[in-house]
Amino acid sequence: MIIFAAMKYKILLILALLLALPSTAQEQWAVIDVANCYLRALPDYESGLESQALMGTVVKVGEADRYWRKVSTPDYKDVWTNELVLAYVDEAGRDRWLAAPKWICTARYAILRQNPSDSALPVCDLTMGNLLERLPDQPEGEWVLAATPSGRKGYLRRTEIEDFRLWASTRKPSRESIVRTALQFNGTPYLWGGMGVKGFDCSGFTKFVYLMNGIVLRRNAREQIESGEAVPYDLALMEPGDLIFFGRKASDPSRKPSVTHVAIYIGGGRIVHSSQLVRVNSLLPGEPDYYQKEIVGVRRMLGKAGEDPGIVPILQDPWYFGQ
């Protein structure tokens, strides 16, 4: 009888612990709650960086390994990040976040502060492209009130943010705006998997430049080359803003080329790209900064937004503004 009672107690204790755990249904979604979330191949800080996600990105949450969570972003599947960078929501919470009025950080770097003062302690750091909730009852003057996806409140200068929907509706991507955006990151270090202003890989750079012009591209160079309009590699026909892909041409015409790098054409036979760092190079042999790599394709993204599943106007992207 004593043994039976002890077993019954253990069963009740286990059931109580299970009921106390967060519901899987409640944690199937989350919103990135830090400026730049690192997404790794394995649940280990020494594992390779696969990609990044910016604050405000909705992710699907999968299995757990200690304090690591496997997540899938809108453009990268089954990668790992740590639990404290995630603001967990259920499906209704996900939809509320997508529908909520937001700010977008348009400064390269900013700090969300506890009080409206440059000397106030930080809540967190922010980088360009981060999304925060726009709270009601905004203060007058040079500061605005915002909250991270987890509800951490703080203040930003008005010069560092814009209303997200208004910003998205006023993007007018052009050859000039793509080149202007790209060149402002000149000198930024290369970071494998990087997709934010602290460091870019090659396709993270092209994706981010187009994102800040209101166009959502696919994540990787091998995906980006499948989008847009094919353009001959001819300086007389190419336009600033075109993406130029490098790699190795297929020996068999029935096979696709191997794509290893992507750059943005800026005109005059020159490119800007993230290779060791964001830099400008020449496509012309004999120039001192000639980039001597094999070109495998040129694609035009401008003018194709909304016509191609890999080139989406941000206002039409359900991962930013819901269904």
Side-chain angles (χ1 to χ4, degrees), residues 172 190 196 203 216 218 251 260 277 297:
K172 305 295 182 186
Y190 179 91
S203 57
V216 182
R218 292 187 170 110
S251 56
T260 58
L277 45 75

Side-chain angles (χ1 to χ4, degrees), residues 35-36 54 103-112 125-132 156-163 167 171 181 184-185 196-198 200 208 212:
N36 298 90
L54 301 178
W103 300 113
I104 181 170
C105 180
T106 51
R108 186 164 182 166
Y109 300 106
I111 297 176
L112 185 68
D125 73 322
L126 300 169
T127 60
M128 185 179 288
N130 287 177
L131 300 178
L132 302 102
L156 283 165
R157 288 192 173 275
R158 290 188 186 274
T159 54
E160 297 171 329
I161 52 86
E162 292 187 36
D163 177 88
W167 175 90
R171 295 308 89 196
T181 301
Q184 71 174 289
F185 300 111
V197 300
K198 295 178 181 180
F200 298 103
F208 186 81
M212 295 311 296

Side-chain angles (χ1 to χ4, degrees), residues 72-122:
S72 290
T73 76
D75 52 30
Y76 218 102
K77 308 302 180 189
D78 297 330
V79 281
W80 293 84
T81 193
N82 61 291
E83 62 185 356
L84 293 185
V85 307
L86 301 174
Y88 290 104
V89 292
D90 56 17
E91 191 169 314
R94 175 202 65 185
D95 294 342
R96 280 194 298 272
W97 169 255
L98 291 172
K102 300 184 192 66
W103 300 113
I104 181 170
C105 180
T106 51
R108 186 164 182 166
Y109 300 106
I111 297 176
L112 185 68
R113 297 188 179 276
Q114 294 180 10
N115 295 296
S117 167
D118 289 327
S119 62
L121 288 174

